[in-house]
Amino acid sequence: MKWFTSRDSKRTELFAPFALFLFALLGALIFRPGIVDWDGAAHYAYLRSAVLDRDLDFANDLVPVEAQQRTVTGRVADSAPVGAALVWTPWFLAADGVCRLIGVFALCWEGYGWLYVTAVSLGTALYGWAGLLMAQRYAAHVTSLGSAWAATLAVWLASPLLAYMVVVPSMPHAIAFAATSAFVACWPAVRQRPRLAVWLGWGMLGGLAALLRWQSAVWLVLPAFELLTARDPLWPRVRRAVALACGFVLAFSPQMTAWVILFGTPLAVPQGDGFLLWARPEVAAVLFSPLHGLVSWMPLALVCLLGLARLFVVRKDIALPLAVVLALYVYVNSIVLDWWAGGAFGPRRFIDAFPIMIVGLSALFDWLRARLRLALVALCVLCAAGQWLFMAEFYSARVLPGEPLTWASALARVPELSAAQWLILPSIVGQWHMGPFGTPASSMTYLVVFAAGGYVVWLAVTRLRLSMRMMRWIVALAACAVLGVDLFLLTIS
């Protein structure tokens, strides 16, 4: 088992192609391009309405009628963050270009055709894959390379992240996971090169994460910890804090612009004043309830927490801020009115905290001896099989949205599952998918696309080395792009 804890990349060189093979295989088997009613439609409406209609009037978008309430500005409310629409834009524009060339109505259908939906769904899957690679890269910085790969694969396959990458890719959770993975992966660079441009870029990454999932703003604990524990004089730390805050606000500004247009204020809780119950945290329920509890639906989370506790012994400077971030996730998710996250699959609101799980599990792999490490691998395989069973139960409508699911009930119904249900062929009410899937031709096409796209992303994440000059250019271009989005939103309003 030396290859497992070795920091020599030659001993662990098979992990990357194996992970890419799994990504392509799962894409071929269970990739379901489509839009999910309610949340998925709300996220997608920003993009389709802004690009094709040149407005933010969602009355003609596929948002459920009961959700089309008018705001104080007289517009149809959209409670979803705007971040997913922004990062889907390149994929949407590529599909739009093809549609304008071929002009086939059935494939385009005013932004809801197969080409558009498949393009943004593929974008979600590839963003999620990039997030896995970045989380693995940071875990390898803290532990050994083999342990980092094993932990990354285990958390991916034994958590709801897999479902939100390929089964319901119109939800933003896999993209938010990618953003938080990028944020934590930049942490070592910030420590090594604490320049203002680096802190400004780090703040923009934090703003992007909050733009995708508002609760991801709790990741700002990491820079706060760095500022408080640094031994530098006060003035350099103040300058870094200002650069961080400017980057965060700049990246988050498209959301504030959209809120001004829709709600008349730059800061809002679109779901209403009673959506966040600050004094009523349901901590036990959000962790252990059979209704989408984190531990109940993802038992591997407990093992990851053991690894995080082990990390306290060897790297307290890393484990302490990560533990605070995770504790804040638990609190924020527990004070939401629907702490169970509605009718979606599993504890989806914790997905952008999964980089912490990967680091914790990687530390545990590093610590255990050979035989116990093999037992942990077996446990991870069992948890992954259990997660697939839960997906089969949920996406075959054997468990309806909003109903609890226990391991005992899921295991008792295993003999009743058909081959189609094991392949996650969806029949759930309120979820519709576009285009062919489940046929040999579509599966082979997705296999090639996922393999090629996954390889390109792998090259970009693992081989790219940024100089300070390149980083300044990237930050400057990103800032110009954000300001361009703000101006565009104000123009079409």
Side-chain angles (χ1 to χ4, degrees), residues 183 186-207 219-233 235-251 468 471-472 475:
F183 188 80
C186 289
W187 195 5
V190 174
R191 287 184 165 183
Q192 294 168 6
R193 297 184 288 184
R195 302 183 183 180
L196 293 184
V198 176
W199 278 82
L200 180 65
W202 206 24
M204 292 183 70
L205 276 177
W219 280 93
L220 291 180
V221 165
L222 300 191
F225 180 84
E226 290 298 310
L227 292 170
L228 291 174
T229 59
R231 297 181 179 179
D232 298 340
W235 178 239
R237 286 186 284 167
V238 171
R239 293 174 62 197
R240 293 169 197 163
V242 171
L244 178 85
C246 289
F248 181 89
V249 173
L250 178 62
M468 277 304 303
M471 188 174 297
R472 290 191 184 98
V475 170

Side-chain angles (χ1 to χ4, degrees), residues 311-436:
L311 193 61
F312 262 97
V313 178
V314 292
R315 291 298 303 270
K316 188 176 181 180
D317 61 317
I318 292 175
L320 178 59
L322 290 181
V324 173
V325 171
L326 186 58
L328 287 175
Y329 263 101
V330 173
Y331 172 73
V332 171
N333 290 333
S334 70
I335 64 173
V336 178
L337 181 63
D338 62 332
W339 52 263
W340 58 93
F345 176 75
R348 59 187 175 102
R349 289 176 179 155
F350 283 98
I351 289 178
D352 35 325
F354 283 177
I356 302 173
M357 303 292 185
I358 291 174
V359 173
L361 186 59
S362 180
L364 190 61
F365 269 118
D366 248 17
W367 179 54
L368 295 178
R369 296 183 178 180
R371 291 185 179 179
L372 289 178
R373 197 176 297 124
L374 283 176
L376 181 55
V377 170
L379 178 61
C380 291
V381 171
L382 287 176
C383 289
Q387 194 67 206
W388 193 283
L389 173 61
F390 270 40
M391 286 196 299
E393 288 278 323
F394 186 85
Y395 290 111
S396 61
R398 295 168 63 83
V399 176
L400 295 178
E403 287 187 352
L405 178 61
T406 64
W407 287 92
S409 62
L411 291 172
R413 291 196 294 263
V414 166
E416 303 173 11
L417 288 171
S418 65
Q421 290 169 335
W422 277 112
L423 288 176
I424 325 296
L425 294 177
S427 61
I428 189 171
V429 177
Q431 178 175 322
W432 56 275
H433 292 259
M434 298 292 296

Side-chain angles (χ1 to χ4, degrees), residues 160-172:
L161 175 59
L162 174 61
Y164 287 96
M165 279 177 62
V166 291
V167 182
V168 280
S170 65
M171 304 285 270

Side-chain angles (χ1 to χ4, degrees), residues 430-449:
Q431 178 175 322
W432 56 275
H433 292 259
M434 298 292 296
F437 54 82
T439 64
S442 67
S443 294
M444 287 303 299
T445 301
Y446 291 145
L447 179 68
V448 172
V449 170

Side-chain angles (χ1 to χ4, degrees), residues 274-328:
F275 186 67
L276 298 177
L277 307 176
W278 301 94
R280 190 231 59 182
E282 298 285 352
V283 174
V286 83
L287 290 176
F288 302 108
S289 171
L291 187 57
H292 307 162
L294 174 63
V295 176
S296 302
W297 280 60
M298 183 188 169
L300 190 64
L302 277 180
V303 183
C304 297
L305 292 179
L306 289 176
L308 190 61
R310 164 60 189 173
L311 193 61
F312 262 97
V313 178
V314 292
R315 291 298 303 270
K316 188 176 181 180
D317 61 317
I318 292 175
L320 178 59
L322 290 181
V324 173
V325 171
L326 186 58
L328 287 175

